[in-house]
Amino acid sequence: MLSASALMGSAALMTMSDDAKAATEWAEHFQKNYRLMTDAEKAEARTRLERRYSSEYGKKVTVDTTGPQPGVLMGYALNVRKCIGCRRCVHACVEENNQSRGTRPGEKIEWIQVLRMERGEFSKDKMNQGYPEGLGIQVGGNAYTPAGQVLEGQYRYEPEAVPEKDATYMPIACMQCEKPPCVKVCPVRTTYREADGPVVIDYNWCIGCRMCMGACPYWARRINLTTPVLPKEEMNPVTHYLGNRPRMRGVVEKCHWCLQRTRQGRYPACVEVCPVGARKFGNLLDPESEVSLILARKNVFRLKAELNTFPKFFYFYD
Amino acid sequence: MKKLAFHTMILAFCCGMMTSALAQEQKAAAAQAPAAQPPQETVCFESRKGASEVTKRDLQPGWPNVKCSPKTGAALWYGDPYDGTVPMGKMPGLEKIPEGHAVVKPRSEKLAILPMCATACHNGVGPAFNPPKLPKDKKPIPIPTMEGLLPDAKDLQHGRGRIWCLDCHHTTKRNMLVDNYGDPVSIDQPQLLCGKCHGDKMRDWRDGIHGKRIGEFASTGKKRWFTCTECHNPHNVQDGARNKGFVQIAPEAPPQLPKGMKDAKYERVHGIAH
């Protein structure tokens, strides 16, 4: 009894503490899964986090808790013919979403990956060459031409200028599946599909088991193996609880279609920055939105459709 | 011994040269520094180099209107998507969009010689225009001044020889473009001109499929539309160092190499165990 009261006393002391970080961490131990929290608890968590981040990063940080808007189902489309592989989307995402940006191994996290693929072709002189030889996994092309084999190192392409003559680029990130394998495997049910589409993570409940990373067929998830490196001046102070708020060590993170922007009606950061306009975002329930019109009018495919994950990220070409 | 002495002399000479060169550079830097310091402006290009640009400024402390890439100078992130925009003006097919919800960045601001076009040279006065007459055929006559001002005009890479200047530029108002009916339209509304030939692209652009829009994603939301000439150089859409229709640009930095991979070519050299 004595020890219990002592514990409660110390708990009270911790909560009243002036140190925003200590107070937050203590309170977070008693916090529910985000989906089970009442509005009052959400508001409390929000105030707590705003106080913590503001003191940690030395500027006014807001943590949004806006829920899904009725009549909105977010969808994304990407024109693979247009992509030039300039990687501006990758860096826009990092600027927006407060990823770790250190230099040591595992400290640099990027959610979008731009795959570089060699162009395949059917030509007469290659018809009898048989199956491709060489290294790597064949991801494109056809059985007669070794073009389309991709080594992991190729994604780190760094030519003088893009697009290169012999390459095609295919950016991948979280596909926001309607039947997400990552959600199925999560043992603590911290990752789930929001009502307006995106699959999100309650970072506080993530135990860092990385089951979701293994389950995701699109290599979309990243783990904070180290304490994230996020300089104060580069931190984006407009955040969302399920979105880009600074993460802690040992949690998994991934693209969430810039929830802090899209819940307020803005385009995601990668869409706004694409210099060739290959990236399109819109409301699938609105027949006038660009994504609905693309689905109606263009040649559309989904990545690894045979896995029945039903992505809401569509690739198209003119 | 003699050789060594000679080498030493060369080394000493080079060192002397270098120090003097460095000192000169430092001097130059010192001279430039005070001049460059007060504005401290970061300007980054948006879609292509030489077209629209944004100047970085803080909207709130720690919240800039744009973030620029230190590597390539490209705009990497938008805090304020409507920076420096004006209403688009009338556009057939976009009547559903509420008033003021379609904005563009005026192109005329970036075209340095545009204000002079209709005053300095193509002003309707002078012996060639008195009485006013139009050229007999569509063969452009090389005018050295014009070619000097606009090198792209020398060998127009648009239309594969089928079009010439006055198919797009207005006959008498040279700072304007021509719409479907031959009437002058502002240079800020190139879509009214380009859609004459590229109708399929204009339909897609109007619906947001072709080209780029930033701002609010709802179909009736406020958006900044990128006009045709912000991404395409109308005088050079065909040739040059391009692939897939785009002028080549420098890419941003690649991601971190996986642990254990020394460089991007590592697998090609060492093979992978399957």
Side-chain angles (χ1 to χ4, degrees):
Chain A
M1 191 61 207
L2 191 73
S3 63
S5 62
L7 195 69
M8 281 175 75
S10 64
L13 271 177
M14 291 290 272
T15 332
M16 304 305 277
S17 156
D18 274 347
D19 182 11
K21 197 181 166 193
T24 318
E25 273 179 2
W26 180 257
E28 275 173 3
H29 279 107
F30 301 99
Q31 189 177 302
K32 282 191 217 148
N33 188 317
Y34 187 74
R35 273 183 293 176
L36 302 177
M37 278 155 78
T38 60
D39 284 347
E41 283 170 332
K42 279 180 191 172
E44 206 177 294
R46 174 191 180 157
T47 336
R48 210 157 52 208
L49 283 175
E50 281 180 350
R51 198 171 144 229
R52 173 186 177 166
Y53 295 143
S54 298
S55 80
E56 203 173 326
Y57 294 98
K59 53 181 152 187
K60 178 94 187 65
V61 178
T62 56
V63 181
D64 190 11
T65 50
T66 311
Q69 304 301 307
V72 176
L73 179 65
M74 298 176 192
Y76 207 114
L78 193 148
N79 193 336
V80 273
R81 287 279 300 275
K82 292 245 173 84
C83 178
I84 57 169
C86 68
R87 289 207 195 91
R88 272 196 226 175
C89 49
V90 179
H91 291 261
C93 177
V94 173
E95 297 287 353
E96 173 71 23
N97 288 309
N98 293 328
Q99 281 102 321
S100 172
R101 50 199 86 176
T103 47
R104 286 182 300 170
E107 278 184 351
K108 193 175 172 190
I109 290 179
E110 287 169 0
W111 292 347
I112 303 173
Q113 197 176 5
V114 184
L115 309 185
R116 178 191 183 277
M117 299 187 180
E118 282 172 20
R119 284 195 181 163
E121 94 243 58
F122 284 103
S123 60
K124 206 180 172 188
D125 51 318
K126 283 186 178 172
M127 289 306 267
N128 292 320
Q129 276 187 2
Y131 287 93
E133 291 165 15
L135 307 161
I137 311 147
Q138 189 184 359
V139 294
N142 58 66
Y144 302 107
T145 170
Q149 286 191 336
V150 168
L151 299 173
E152 210 184 349
Q154 265 177 269
Y155 305 148
R156 277 84 188 166
Y157 62 88
E158 207 179 1
E160 288 283 298
V162 287
E164 297 152 280
K165 283 265 184 262
D166 55 347
T168 303
Y169 304 92
M170 180 149 181
I172 55 167
C174 179
M175 301 283 155
Q176 318 293 358
C177 311
E178 281 294 279
K179 292 188 175 177
C182 53
V183 169
K184 285 183 196 167
V185 298
C186 180
V188 288
R189 296 194 182 180
T190 188
T191 182
Y192 61 98
R193 178 192 175 277
E194 281 273 284
D196 54 354
V199 174
V200 295
I201 304 164
D202 177 4
Y203 306 112
N204 281 98
W205 271 67
C206 179
I207 56 171
C209 70
R210 290 181 271 171
M211 297 265 274
C212 52
M213 290 174 75
C216 175
Y218 305 106
W219 316 333
R221 290 178 166 252
R222 307 279 183 274
I223 184 152
N224 286 286
L225 270 180
T226 59
T227 308
V229 181
L230 180 58
K232 280 181 186 178
E233 64 277 9
E234 287 178 32
M235 192 254 175
N236 178 9
V238 178
T239 69
H240 193 281
Y241 191 96
L242 298 168
N244 65 339
R245 69 183 167 108
R247 274 79 61 183
M248 36 296 208
R249 181 183 170 175
V251 303
V252 169
E253 58 184 59
K254 68 164 190 70
C255 162
H256 43 78
W257 281 348
C258 290
L259 225 53
Q260 66 284 353
R261 283 169 164 248
T262 48
R263 285 270 163 88
Q264 306 299 332
R266 273 283 291 279
Y267 278 113
C270 50
V271 173
E272 291 203 338
V273 88
C274 179
V276 297
R279 290 175 168 270
K280 300 289 163 196
F281 182 86
N283 182 3
L284 289 169
L285 302 181
D286 175 8
E288 300 280 308
S289 76
E290 52 243 59
V291 177
S292 300
L293 289 167
I294 286 164
L295 291 179
R297 206 180 281 169
K298 300 288 178 186
N299 301 306
V300 177
F301 68 93
R302 302 200 260 200
L303 195 59
K304 300 191 186 176
E306 69 278 13
L307 298 177
N308 286 343
T309 51
F310 299 97
K312 287 188 292 298
F313 192 108
F314 303 93
Y315 292 91
F316 74 103
Y317 49 97
D318 287 315
Chain B
M1 189 61 205
K2 199 177 167 190
K3 204 175 174 187
L4 192 73
F6 179 64
H7 280 176
T8 323
M9 247 172 73
I10 287 184
L11 193 71
F13 180 66
C14 287
C15 283
M17 287 285 280
M18 261 177 47
T19 36
S20 62
L22 278 175
Q24 268 179 4
E25 270 176 27
Q26 272 169 359
K27 256 184 226 164
Q32 273 174 3
Q37 223 166 27
Q40 276 282 330
E41 269 190 353
T42 318
V43 180
C44 44
F45 69 96
E46 296 190 290
S47 188
R48 65 176 168 94
K49 259 186 192 162
S52 49
E53 286 172 343
V54 217
T55 310
K56 191 176 171 181
R57 61 190 168 82
D58 266 2
L59 302 172
Q60 296 161 28
W63 180 256
N65 64 336
V66 73
K67 288 184 191 170
C68 308
S69 163
K71 185 168 181 263
T72 59
L76 271 193
W77 178 90
Y78 286 95
D80 175 19
Y82 315 119
D83 190 75
T85 53
V86 296
M88 184 198 277
K90 274 219 169 102
M91 175 70 203
L94 293 184
E95 291 84 6
K96 274 188 192 168
I97 295 175
E99 192 70 31
H101 275 211
V103 292
V104 293
K105 207 168 237 190
R107 289 287 297 132
S108 38
E109 279 174 12
K110 282 298 296 171
L111 305 170
I113 58 167
L114 184 75
M116 294 185 288
C117 293
T119 50
C121 305
H122 306 284
N123 49 9
V125 289
F129 295 97
N130 199 13
K133 61 173 192 279
L134 287 173
K136 288 278 181 298
D137 57 6
K138 289 194 165 191
K139 293 245 160 42
I141 305 152
I143 304 164
T145 325
M146 190 70 236
E147 284 178 357
L149 283 168
L150 192 79
D152 289 340
K154 209 178 286 179
D155 181 21
L156 182 69
Q157 290 296 318
H158 191 164
R160 295 187 170 80
R162 296 295 184 96
I163 62 167
W164 80 308
C165 316
L166 297 191
D167 282 328
C168 300
H169 296 275
H170 196 263
T171 329
T172 50
K173 293 177 178 153
R174 291 291 166 91
N175 54 352
M176 306 279 261
L177 302 171
V178 200
D179 76 350
N180 242 334
Y181 308 101
D183 294 331
V185 288
S186 161
I187 211 135
D188 300 334
Q189 289 184 293
Q191 62 272 18
L192 293 172
L193 159 73
C194 304
K196 284 161 70 177
C197 298
H198 307 283
D200 57 334
K201 288 287 172 285
M202 179 161 84
R203 185 183 73 150
D204 279 355
W205 179 81
R206 225 164 36 200
D207 293 335
I209 300 172
H210 181 100
K212 178 175 169 181
R213 306 186 297 188
I214 63 178
E216 295 169 358
F217 73 80
S219 52
T220 50
K222 186 181 177 186
K223 292 182 179 69
R224 174 189 162 194
W225 296 59
F226 280 67
T227 54
C228 316
T229 49
E230 280 182 75
C231 303
H232 307 281
N233 178 354
H235 297 130
N236 179 2
V237 285
Q238 280 162 14
D239 88 332
R242 68 181 63 233
N243 186 19
K244 293 206 277 185
F246 294 107
V247 178
Q248 288 186 306
I249 54 173
E252 299 294 330
Q256 200 177 27
L257 285 164
K259 208 175 175 183
M261 198 190 278
K262 302 261 169 2
D263 53 62
K265 291 215 168 89
Y266 189 74
E267 293 155 298
R268 281 201 193 284
V269 181
H270 299 278
I272 339 161
H274 280 278

